[in-house]
Amino acid sequence: MNHEDYMREALALARQAGLEGDVPVGCVIVKDGEIVGRGRNRREERGDATAHAELEAIRDACERLGSWRLHGCTLYVTLEPCPMCAGGIINSRIETVRYGVRDEKAGCCTSVLNLFEERFNHHPRIYQGPLEEECRAVLQDFFEHLRGPVGKDLKLL
Ligand SMILES: [Zn+2]
């Protein structure tokens, strides 16, 4: 599998989140070519402000690998991580992050600021892409649908 394949897995999780009424964000964590963690946004489903895709994937990977240290892991996420998730990425020592689309409102790996360049004890590598367009389209479709009669009262961002 290559970068695109892994991001497609993250996109599939994002679509699942969207079907459940959550902002469609999905995440997978890969080690030695194998997916060891999966997560999707479940903020609405759980009524939990911290139920973001990245944190779910990090918990899943830590459990599977039997360690809180995710050395040698790459995290693929469809949307640029927020400050909370960027913190989780630093705390779990993830080596590399690849995100699909920038989040100008909350992104903390490039857009609002870049936490990975600050004076913390761990500095993940950060790349944008692949599949930026697909990742953007999943979010746009979701919010266009929300503006229709069904979801116009929902405030998700
Ligand atoms: Zn987050």
Side-chain angles (χ1 to χ4, degrees), residues 52-55 80-86:
H52 285 194
E54 298 95 312
L55 295 190
E80 182 184 351
C82 74
M84 173 179 72
C85 294

Side-chain angles (χ1 to χ4, degrees), residues 15 24 134-147:
R15 289 194 186 94
E134 285 89 335
C135 292
R136 178 175 291 114
V138 164
L139 285 162
Q140 272 172 355
D141 288 353
F142 181 80
F143 285 108
E144 272 162 28
H145 176 71
L146 277 189
R147 278 191 284 273

